Every structure is written in C-alpha cells, then in structure tokens.
Amino acid sequence: MGNGRIIAGCLAPHPPHLVYGENPPQNEPKSECGWETLRWGYEELRERIPKDEYDVIIVHSPHWRTYIGTHILAIPEAKSISVDPIFPNLFRFHYDLKVDVDLAKSIYSEAVGKKLDMKLMENPKFRVDYGTIVSCHLANPDWDKPIVSISSNAAAKYFNVEYMQELQTHLGDATRVAIEKSGKRALLLASNSLSHRHFTIEPPIPEDMSKEHIYHHGQYLWDMRMIEMMKKGQTREMIDLLPDFTQQATAETDGGSLTWLMSALQYPKYPAKIHAYGTVIGTGNAVASWKPEVGGPA
Amino acid sequence: MNPEVLKACVVPGQPQPLMVPEQNEGWMKLRRAYDEMAKEIKEANPDVLIIYSTKWLSVIGHQIQARKNPEWTHVDDEWHEYGEVEYSFNIDSELAHQVNEACHDRGLHTRTVDYHGFPIDTGSIVALKLLNPDNKIPAIILSSNIYADRTETVVLAKSIIDALKKSGKKAVAIASTALSNRYHDQMIDPKEDRIHSLKDHEWNLKMLEFFEQGRLEDVSQLSRQIQQEARVHKVTNFKPFWWLSTMMGQTNYLEGKIFEYQPLYGMGGALVSLTPSDRSFGDLEYDEADPENFQGDRNVLKSEGTDSDESEDTGGKE
Ligand SMILES: [Fe+2]
C-alpha cells in the first residue's frame, strides 16, 4: 500500500443546534429552522468536497475528552442514540455508523511509535460522542463512509495550551503518515467551535434567531483575527497565536482539534475557504476547508 | 441546621471501586467503604437521596434528572476497557419538579431532564449503584453548571431545602467529587497508584482533618483556596462543598466520619459522612457572602447603553 492522502481538512464545528435546525429523520426533536448561515456553510462544504473524493472521514472531537492519553474508536460499527447531556432538548440522534478499524489501528500504531500515550476503544457498548456525530453528519449526512474518531486529551487543562499543541502536532503527523501508508483518501474534520463562551439561558424557542448573537465583542474580534489568518494562509502564525486565542476567547481550540488538523495538513500556506461564520448560543463558529490539491502544496 | 437533611456524604465519582476494585488494594478499600456508607445511609432512613455530581456538566443553568426510571448500559469515556454497567434507577420525579420550581422562585435558571437514553454521568452511577444497591431509596441528581460560582451553588442548595420543606421529605445529600483531582496523565499499573503529588496529598489531609472535626462550613469557606492549590482548573471553582454545606445549614455543628481515603488514578478519593451534632468547633464569622437569591450573571464587561436584549444574557431577575 501507499499513496494515501488527505484530500481535504475542515474546521467542522459541532453545535447540536445545527443538526436540530436541519431536521434529519435521525434526530427526535424538530425545529422550524435556525442557524442557516452555518448550515448553508456546511452545504457549500459538501459541494466543495463531494463524497466521491474520499474513502474515510477522520474526526478529532473535543467532546470525547480523555485525561489519560488519546483514545481512538476501534469497533467496526456503532449504533445507538446519542443524547446531548447539555442540550438534550435539541439533540437525541439515532446513529448507525461504520468505523475504519484498520486505519484507526494504524493511526494508533504510528502515534505509539511517536511515544504518545494511546488507547484503542474496543468496547462494543460504547456510546460515540455527539461532537463526532454532529461534525460527521454535517460533512456527510448520508453516513455512507466509514469514520475514525479520535478523542481530545485534556492536556491544555492539566498543563497548558503549549503542551497540548506539542502533543497534537505529533498526533497530526502520525495521522498523516498512517493515511499515506493506508492508500486511502481521507477527509479530516476538526470538530471545534472558535470562541466558546455560551449564554447560560436559552430562549423559549431555541431557534429564535432574534436572540442569537456573539456573547461578547472581544470574542468576535478574536474569531475574526483567526479567520483572517486562515484566509491568508498564515496557519503557522495562527497556531503560534492559538494559546493566546484559546485563553482570551475561552476557545474550544483547547481540545486540540485545530492544532491536530493543521499539523496533519503540514500548516497550509494557501488560503482556507471560509464557508460560514456564525454564532450558536453565543459561541463563535466557522466552517472552513483546506484542499491541498486546489491550494497547492503546503 | 436544616432538619430536612439527615446526613451529608462525600464520595468520589471514579469507576474503579464499582468496576475493578480487585486491581488495587486501595480501590478495594474504597469499595468496602461504599458498602459501609450504604449501611449508614439505610439506617438514617431518608425518603430521598440528593446527588450533586461534578461529573455532570451543564451550561444552561443547572439540570435536574427527573426521569422516573432511567435505564441504560453505560460505558465510561475514559475507562471503557472496564466493561459496562447496566443501570435502572428509581428517581423521585415529583421532587425533581418541586426543586426546579423552588430554584425558579429564587432566580435560578434550571430545568428538569426526562429523556430516554440521557447519559447519566459515571459519578452518579457509581454513587447510586454502590450506596443504594437495591434502589429502595428514590433519588434526584443535579448537574454542576460550568459557569456557576458560589452564589448560584449556594442558592441551588437553598432552593432544594425549600422544596424538601414543602414536600415534608427527609434527605441524605451526596456530593460526588474528588478531593484533589489531578490524574496520572499516563497509563499506570493499577498496583502503583498513588496521590499525584505530595502537595495534593497534604491538602487532602487538611480537608480530611476538618471533615473529621465536623467542620464542613470551614471546608466550604476554604473552597476557593483549595481550587487554587489542589485542583486542576477544569471549571470555574471548587463548588461541591458550597453546595453540601448549604444543604446542612452552613455549619460546623456536625459529627464527621472518614470511611476511607485512597488514591484513584492519582486523585484524592475519600468517603466521608457528616451528621448533625451538638459537638462543634464552633461557627466563626465568615468572609463569604450568604446569598438568598440569584440576581443573574453580572456581565462586568458590558458597555453602557447596551440594548435591552442584553438583559437576556444576565439570566435572572434584574
Ligand atoms: Fe462543544
């Protein structure tokens, strides 16, 4: 084998509100509408990265938070209902997914080779986290591609963002090498919001968009700064700034998904395509994609 | 003293004592301590167990479990290799709704949750499985709001007391929390488990000394410092003892009992009970305020002339 490659990497945030707004048959709660800018951004992302271009989706999720090492989903299939512990009124999603266990194990082995603490998740009764499910659903609502789900290690909380970035840099490298060896074409999803301060109350109609806006202007400014750098292809600078951003904007980048993605893509110098920016219960979210073949070599 | 609450208990929320106690002598000791505490709770004969779990995080205020008979097969996110726990719990749905109303009366934003498949957290599962093995005592479970600080947490407990008074029920209050909460971040041989650092251990011993003397309110008053010294800052503050002490009437007039203290993958795992008593080291004058109502988040960065929609953000009665 060999010649596998990353066909695209995306910033693919996972607020369950976006699935709720979309009303797929798998989700029990039903909405009238809501968060269109972001949902249409995902539509555009799906057009830019049609599913015949990839064999597998690899998602790094801040909502599978592990404290001891990084864990990788390694059961061939998973079927259950995912109920969001924070927004159970919006997200009770019946999922039925397949996992590329070979690739999962190969990422695991490459990462172990880099001395990272890794664990395979092999319990068939395990419930897949909603970050993984939301990002994967919005990237490919047909669920007809296998996925690999990677947990986010809590190193940013236990040590600091710099330490976390070091770890995710190695994990991103390990992911890329495993993909190359596999011969497969992979779509990578970093499942995180940008600024991440929420409102602590919800309007009576959750999809009432007259109530939706950024929690605080300072967050907005930080989000715009990060997006500007994505648009200019300054991803190395963006990652250098990420510790400040994470702290100042209480950003969900603390989970390491974006750092992992940038490392796997080898810090693109070509511009990201920004499909959308919007807020969800006060948090800042961007849908963005990097396509190496369109953008040129990193 | 709140006569509605018969006893306060502190228990760790990690799965080892429930699932793999045989892997480490200390974990087995914790398991036996749970069994002993279960007997003590049974003897107190409460109408309801009220659990505040630091492992159930919420954002939209606090959430209250209200499903009468939640059933599921649970696998821990971290220790999935331990296998699964089947559970079927007995929830006092009526009291959950009364607590919810009482919270609203004091300005808190809370809601009940009643959904099939709702992911009850590992800490609550461990507490209910081990402290209430035959499910005889109905329970309610409260989340820990990541944005809440002292006021919301104290007012939450006061609201629960209001609801207990109204219902005429007697409760045992259970805080599911570690003392020091730093894990070993690398996989260890379970036999080699120890408290992550000597400093964490020393802080744990200080807390246990206070508990043994019944000084729950003193621990509550020290919570901010403990957060600085012996806690990884995963959330805004170290809240469980604000809640637990308020449940007991914010007092040191308690009889403390340490059942066990052991490392749990590096964290401080302790089982402690506190029972109303005449014996006391005395209640002192304290620095922390004693709020009765929640006035809402104060948006300290809000600029003047912000439009009225912004008051939504403050979440409470202005
Ligand atoms: Fe999130």
Side-chain angles (χ1 to χ4, degrees):
Chain A
M1 290 294 251
N3 292 329
R5 64 199 156 89
I6 300 170
I7 63 103
C10 304
L11 178 57
H14 60 252
H17 304 66
L18 304 183
V19 170
Y20 169 70
E22 200 110 342
N23 286 318
Q26 297 100 318
N27 198 29
E28 287 179 7
K30 298 296 169 206
S31 67
E32 296 172 294
C33 52
W35 302 278
E36 277 69 23
T37 313
L38 283 163
R39 293 199 288 110
W40 295 342
Y42 265 111
E43 273 178 21
E44 193 184 280
L45 179 143
R46 294 193 292 265
E47 279 164 26
R48 187 171 196 233
I49 309 164
K51 60 187 177 182
D52 57 5
E53 290 187 6
Y54 58 89
D55 306 308
V56 58
I57 297 175
I58 306 177
V59 56
H60 186 291
S61 172
H63 282 283
W64 182 11
R65 184 55 57 97
T66 54
Y67 295 89
I68 306 153
T70 300
H71 302 205
I72 300 189
L73 195 62
I75 44 175
E77 53 204 6
K79 184 178 178 183
S80 186
I81 176 171
S82 168
V83 179
D84 182 336
I86 291 166
F87 300 101
N89 52 326
L90 308 183
F91 191 77
R92 303 191 299 280
F93 188 95
H94 296 261
Y95 64 89
D96 185 355
L97 58 86
K98 300 254 182 294
V99 176
D100 186 335
V101 177
D102 289 341
L103 184 55
K105 288 187 172 169
S106 150
I107 296 171
Y108 166 88
S109 303
E110 292 295 334
V112 168
K114 290 180 181 295
K115 305 264 185 288
L116 297 180
D117 285 294
M118 302 295 296
K119 202 196 274 188
L120 289 171
M121 202 313 295
E122 296 179 300
N123 186 325
K125 296 281 172 67
F126 183 79
R127 197 145 45 154
V128 178
D129 75 282
Y130 71 90
T132 291
I133 292 169
V134 171
S135 295
C136 288
H137 180 82
L138 292 169
N140 175 27
D142 296 333
W143 287 98
D144 52 0
K145 299 282 176 179
I147 71 160
V148 173
S149 170
I150 303 176
S151 81
S152 74
N153 180 277
K157 291 275 194 293
Y158 267 62
F159 300 99
N160 53 45
V161 178
E162 287 83 352
Y163 181 96
M164 173 279 284
Q165 297 221 102
E166 196 65 32
L167 193 157
Q168 296 300 340
T169 301
H170 292 305
L171 187 62
D173 287 337
T175 305
R176 186 184 57 257
V177 171
I179 293 165
E180 285 166 358
K181 286 186 183 170
S182 74
K184 288 170 184 164
R185 300 167 303 163
L187 168 64
L188 268 53
L189 306 179
S191 168
N192 64 276
S193 299
L194 294 176
S195 67
H196 204 233
R197 181 62 166 92
H198 305 80
F199 295 124
T200 56
I201 61 168
E202 195 174 53
I205 301 167
E207 61 267 39
D208 178 351
M209 289 296 103
S210 71
K211 302 280 189 258
E212 185 60 78
H213 56 90
I214 193 81
Y215 185 88
H216 182 262
H217 184 56
Q219 283 181 211
Y220 186 78
L221 293 175
W222 266 111
D223 287 346
M224 289 308 118
R225 189 155 177 204
M226 300 300 276
I227 288 170
E228 267 311 301
M229 286 192 276
M230 293 178 200
K231 288 177 70 149
K232 287 181 179 158
Q234 297 173 339
T235 59
R236 178 72 75 173
E237 294 85 340
M238 177 178 79
I239 292 302
D240 287 346
L241 197 59
L242 198 117
D244 282 349
F245 166 65
T246 304
Q247 196 183 4
Q248 299 291 328
T250 46
E252 210 182 19
T253 43
D254 70 335
S257 310
L258 187 57
T259 311
W260 164 81
L261 179 66
M262 290 302 107
S263 167
L265 289 170
Q266 294 175 295
Y267 304 94
K269 291 199 176 85
Y270 53 88
K273 170 97 182 138
I274 306 297
H275 301 286
Y277 174 81
T279 68
V280 178
I281 196 149
T283 65
N285 295 272
V287 181
S289 63
W290 286 264
K291 261 188 125 170
E293 277 177 15
V294 178
Chain B
M1 215 80 82
N2 290 326
E4 296 76 23
V5 187
L6 305 170
K7 195 178 282 294
C9 295
V10 181
V11 295
Q14 270 40 56
Q16 285 81 0
L18 174 67
M19 305 199 68
V20 289
E22 69 287 350
Q23 290 188 5
N24 171 290
E25 210 182 313
W27 300 352
M28 184 57 88
K29 285 182 179 164
L30 288 167
R31 170 58 173 266
R32 294 208 186 97
Y34 265 106
D35 297 343
E36 225 188 300
M37 185 183 269
K39 276 187 222 150
E40 192 179 293
I41 290 173
K42 202 172 182 182
E43 279 161 23
N45 197 25
D47 300 307
V48 62
L49 304 178
I50 303 180
I51 299 174
Y52 173 91
S53 177
T54 53
K55 282 183 165 287
W56 179 12
L57 301 180
S58 61
V59 164
I60 308 297
H62 288 90
Q63 299 193 125
I64 307 160
Q65 182 57 249
R67 191 166 185 83
K68 281 192 179 119
N69 179 215
E71 293 183 305
W72 197 255
T73 304
H74 172 78
V75 177
D76 189 70
D77 278 358
E78 184 83 50
W79 285 294
H80 29 80
E81 71 273 25
Y82 291 170
E84 49 274 348
V85 189
E86 305 277 347
Y87 67 76
S88 170
F89 293 137
N90 173 12
I91 298 294
D92 187 339
S93 184
E94 191 188 4
L95 184 65
H97 285 100
Q98 288 167 334
V99 167
N100 192 38
E101 280 167 33
C103 286
H104 295 170
D105 289 345
R106 283 183 183 262
L108 290 174
H109 194 79
T110 54
R111 64 183 177 198
T112 53
V113 297
D114 181 354
Y115 303 105
H116 172 63
F118 184 89
I120 295 182
D121 65 284
T122 299
S124 299
I125 291 169
V126 171
L128 282 174
K129 276 279 182 185
L130 293 178
L131 297 179
N132 191 27
D134 50 13
N135 256 333
K136 285 239 168 72
I137 314 167
I140 65 170
I141 309 170
L142 304 150
S143 72
S144 174
N145 176 357
I146 59 169
Y147 293 115
D149 207 76
R150 182 176 155 90
T151 299
E152 269 185 275
T153 311
V154 165
V155 173
L156 174 69
K158 289 186 176 179
S159 308
I160 297 167
I161 300 296
D162 294 344
L164 285 171
K165 281 195 175 121
K166 214 168 176 179
S167 71
K169 287 175 182 165
K170 301 272 191 237
V172 166
I174 300 166
S176 170
T177 179
L179 302 183
S180 65
N181 70 339
R182 190 174 281 278
Y183 291 103
H184 300 300
D185 67 320
Q186 292 171 336
M187 287 155 212
I188 57 161
D189 176 350
K191 290 190 180 63
E192 314 264 280
D193 198 6
R194 59 176 179 81
I195 300 290
H196 190 277
S197 70
L198 180 59
K199 176 196 70 127
D200 283 0
H201 177 57
E202 287 165 345
W203 273 97
N204 292 339
L205 293 181
K206 180 48 84 180
M207 282 185 256
L208 290 168
E209 180 191 329
F210 279 23
F211 284 138
E212 191 159 37
Q213 296 169 350
R215 296 163 68 185
L216 179 57
E217 180 57 16
D218 284 355
V219 177
S220 164
Q221 293 281 331
L222 264 180
S223 289
R224 292 183 201 275
Q225 191 170 357
I226 296 166
Q227 170 80 353
Q228 290 304 315
E229 307 286 353
R231 302 279 298 180
V232 174
H233 299 176
K234 290 189 279 182
V235 288
T236 52
N237 230 319
F238 188 37
K239 297 175 275 198
F241 298 121
W242 288 336
W243 178 81
L244 196 63
S245 185
T246 309
M247 289 295 288
M248 298 307 286
Q250 295 165 306
T251 182
N252 288 327
Y253 280 86
L254 300 165
E255 179 92 40
K257 180 174 170 186
I258 313 293
F259 289 79
E260 195 57 72
Y261 163 62
Q262 293 291 337
L264 269 171
Y265 230 91
M267 300 178 340
L271 283 100
V272 176
S273 75
L274 296 134
T275 312
S277 155
D278 296 337
R279 191 193 75 133
S280 175
F281 277 70
D283 289 334
L284 305 170
E285 191 177 308
Y286 293 119
D287 295 337
E288 294 276 17
D290 182 18
E292 294 297 332
N293 292 290
F294 182 56
Q295 309 281 331
D297 295 335
R298 280 179 297 170
N299 192 348
V300 292
L301 295 172
K302 186 159 73 176
S303 57
E304 278 178 44
T306 325
D307 70 44
S308 61
D309 267 6
E310 286 284 320
S311 65
E312 286 275 344
D313 309 348
T314 62
K317 295 164 187 165
E318 293 279 352

